[in-house]
Amino acid sequence: MTQTTLSHIIYEDPHIIVCRKPAGIPTQSRRIGTQDMVSILKNHISAATPQEGRHQCVKAPYLAVIHRLDQPVEGLLVFAKTPAAARDLSSQLTGSGFGKYYLAMVNGIPAPPEGNLEDHLVKDGRTNTSRVCTADTPGAKLSRLHYRTVRVYEDLHPPVSLIEIRLDTGRHHQIRVQMAHHGFPLIGDRKYNGPECSSSLKLCAYHLEFRHPVDGRPMNFELPSPFWEEVS
């Protein structure tokens, strides 16, 4: 598992690591013994440290989580290897210049084919789910995304659509909750599309853009098609 995951490192320098998180591996987990991206990447950094450096350094290497993906979601993540890089990337994430784009297969045909969704979401920690709520609900957070229909498979029954989503906010299960609430649940989503779903969750963080935290140059990464070309 570790070797396979490390083969998904797309870019690395002294300040950041960009990788493709496989579906099924958590970004970070509090469960003892659970393999997650943070522990895997820390092991990678330790192994890459020169032998003499490893003897002198008893602390685990620094690695900051900038953003997360749900465990069943595959896609691009960037981690910071220094506190300065973490501060800059976190500032971009909460401000502007940090672009997170997803591709998803949904049931139905969105109408209109392109638009913005804006809802208030509240998280239920007991069930690890979120739901759409009113703005005055305790704990409610405004959630925004933009979607664009890429392709419609009308020959399937029922029809399904491939959509691109750009997140303006990063709430818990945001894409899954909002799309289901508006009548277009994600294929394979057992939490919001029913436990009878037999396929894997069709959601991928396929495109990531930000400015390098040190020299400011544009950084753009995009994954090849993970699942949408398999639809028949």
Side-chain angles (χ1 to χ4, degrees):
M1 179 72 76
T2 301
Q3 272 191 333
T4 301
T5 304
L6 291 182
S7 71
H8 287 73
I9 292 179
I10 296 171
Y11 175 86
E12 181 177 8
D13 66 25
H15 312 283
I16 62 174
I17 294 180
V18 178
C19 66
R20 177 178 186 166
K21 184 188 88 65
I25 296 181
T27 303
Q28 188 175 33
S29 176
R30 295 180 180 177
R31 294 182 180 178
I32 297 175
T34 298
Q35 190 175 49
D36 58 22
M37 292 305 299
V38 170
S39 59
I40 291 169
L41 292 175
K42 282 186 175 182
N43 288 338
H44 160 71
I45 295 171
S46 293
T49 302
Q51 188 70 30
E52 61 274 13
R54 290 209 301 269
H55 286 311
Q56 297 170 3
C57 180
V58 295
K59 292 184 178 180
Y62 181 90
L63 189 73
V65 176
I66 305 302
H67 58 124
R68 300 170 186 267
L69 293 175
D70 296 341
Q71 184 166 337
V73 179
E74 67 172 307
L76 292 166
L77 287 171
V78 58
F79 294 85
K81 296 171 68 176
T82 68
R87 287 192 297 271
D88 186 271
L89 290 172
S90 296
S91 178
Q92 291 185 51
L93 182 65
T94 57
S96 60
F98 200 105
K100 296 184 291 181
Y101 297 83
Y102 296 73
L103 284 171
M105 297 295 299
V106 300
N107 286 297
I109 304 174
E114 182 173 2
N116 298 304
L117 299 182
E118 186 171 297
D119 302 286
H120 284 83
L121 303 186
V122 63
K123 180 180 178 180
D124 184 340
R126 294 179 297 106
T127 61
N128 192 35
T129 59
S130 291
R131 61 179 175 84
V132 173
C133 62
T134 59
D136 58 355
T137 300
K141 294 183 178 180
L142 182 63
S143 305
R144 295 187 305 270
L145 63 77
H146 178 86
Y147 73 89
R148 177 179 65 88
T149 304
V150 176
R151 182 176 177 183
V152 176
Y153 299 85
E154 295 186 80
D155 55 328
L156 298 180
H157 301 286
V160 301
S161 302
L162 172 66
I163 61 172
E164 181 191 63
I165 298 163
R166 185 193 73 236
L167 280 181
D168 293 329
T169 56
R171 309 305 184 198
H172 178 256
H173 292 175
Q174 180 180 340
I175 293 174
R176 301 161 66 183
V177 175
Q178 285 193 275
M179 296 311 298
H181 176 75
H182 289 274
F184 308 101
L186 272 63
I187 293 175
D189 193 344
R190 293 176 175 84
K191 284 199 172 186
Y192 302 102
N193 193 17
E196 69 280 0
C197 295
S198 58
S199 65
S200 59
L201 179 64
K202 303 304 184 186
L203 179 62
C204 176
Y206 88 107
H207 184 84
L208 184 65
E209 57 187 27
F210 55 91
R211 299 184 307 277
H212 193 279
V214 175
D215 57 32
R217 71 184 186 276
M219 306 291 286
N220 289 277
F221 302 92
E222 187 166 312
L223 295 177
S225 305
F227 55 74
W228 44 92
E229 290 181 350
E230 301 173 4
V231 177
S232 58

